[in-house]
Amino acid sequence: DIQMTQSPSSLSASVGDRVTITCRAGQSISSYLNWYQQKPGKAPKVLIYAAFRLQSGVPSRFSGSGSGTDFTLTISSLQPEDFATYYCQQSYSTPYTFGQGTKVEIK
Amino acid sequence: QVQLEQSGGEVKKPGASVKVSCKASGYSFTSYGICWVRQAPGEGLEWMGWISIYNGDTNYAQKFQGRVTMTTDTSTSTAYMELRSLRSDDTAMYYCARVIGTTYYYFDFWGQGTLVTVSS
């Protein structure tokens, strides 16, 4: 199984801050990397697929980059509705493993 | 609009089985796959497997091999996930999600989740 490791596990930030979350794969996964946002009590929602492609309807302040083993999710200007947990997930090979999550909290 | 409606919560005893349903609407059911993801209380997301609605092919995570069966009923646009020999650590929210993509797969629509509680 491909292990996905996110950092940090949690962070505190203020509205308007630029936030970066990192995801590292245990082996090269090319660009087969997706990012999801999950709010408490809700199902996850896809933000980014194929490393950098923005899902339809997702605000442009979200962006993804990287390939191979190292990836980042960036929120250019954090908004109140962005406080949530973020997960990366690889779709290079089954099982399609997720990272452990990064909780973004209000500072 | 695309919707995935899951069945209600279940309480099961250890050793029992549970079957969760996921009814799709708003799109061509046979054109996409369905995957199942679970989340234990306070924990992260765990991919269990997926099924191709088109040909019924399945791919299960090794962890669940022999205990899980994913099926579909195309006449009602419903996917099912059965988990057997339940243990307390199977207590979790179970989600179905639509699988989209031809090369780069991802999960674009999700059900609301079904809470399965395993307790004696």
Side-chain angles (χ1 to χ4, degrees):
Chain A
D1 297 4
I2 299 176
Q3 181 151 358
M4 306 300 293
T5 304
Q6 290 180 231
S7 61
S9 295
S10 65
L11 65 90
S12 295
S14 301
V15 172
D17 283 354
R18 182 181 182 87
V19 169
T20 298
I21 298 168
T22 296
C23 178
R24 175 163 287 175
Q27 66 178 73
S28 177
I29 58 170
S30 183
S31 297
Y32 292 85
L33 192 282
N34 309 314
W35 289 97
Y36 298 85
Q37 175 194 65
Q38 187 179 35
K39 296 182 180 179
K42 298 294 186 182
K45 168 189 170 183
V46 64
L47 302 174
I48 302 285
Y49 66 97
F52 63 88
R53 293 179 169 90
L54 192 68
Q55 173 69 353
S56 175
V58 174
S60 59
R61 62 181 180 272
F62 292 94
S63 64
S65 65
S67 68
T69 60
D70 295 316
F71 302 86
T72 58
L73 173 71
T74 300
I75 310 172
S76 60
S77 178
L78 198 66
Q79 297 302 299
E81 60 268 30
D82 301 337
F83 291 96
T85 300
Y86 295 83
Y87 294 92
C88 63
Q89 177 240 338
Q90 63 83 15
S91 60
Y92 180 80
S93 67
T94 58
Y96 292 152
T97 42
F98 291 86
Q100 82 279 15
T102 296
K103 187 173 184 179
V104 176
E105 298 175 299
I106 302 171
K107 184 183 255 184
Chain B
Q1 70 282 23
V2 174
Q3 285 190 315
L4 298 175
E5 186 70 25
Q6 296 185 225
S7 49
E10 303 259 14
V11 179
K12 297 291 183 180
K13 293 193 182 304
S17 300
V18 68
K19 192 170 186 176
V20 179
S21 67
C22 171
K23 183 172 176 59
S25 61
Y27 71 96
S28 173
F29 184 60
T30 55
S31 297
Y32 300 84
I34 291 284
C35 74
W36 292 86
V37 173
R38 77 177 187 179
Q39 185 171 38
E43 301 295 322
L45 302 169
E46 182 175 31
W47 184 85
M48 299 179 68
W50 76 294
I51 181 166
S52 166
I53 313 301
Y54 175 72
N55 59 17
D57 284 352
T58 54
N59 187 314
Y60 303 140
Q62 182 70 28
K63 173 178 180 177
F64 300 102
Q65 285 277 2
R67 279 210 305 145
V68 71
T69 302
M70 296 175 189
T71 57
T72 64
D73 180 346
T74 55
S75 69
T76 59
S77 299
T78 303
Y80 299 91
M81 186 283 299
E82 181 181 33
L83 189 62
R84 300 176 293 278
S85 302
L86 290 168
R87 307 184 287 254
S88 59
D89 62 358
D90 289 318
T91 294
M93 185 72 80
Y94 288 77
Y95 295 102
C96 63
R98 189 176 80 164
V99 181
I100 191 170
T102 52
T103 302
Y104 295 97
Y105 294 109
Y106 62 102
F107 315 143
D108 64 342
F109 286 93
W110 294 63
Q112 81 277 19
T114 296
L115 182 61
V116 175
T117 303
V118 183
S119 174
S120 55

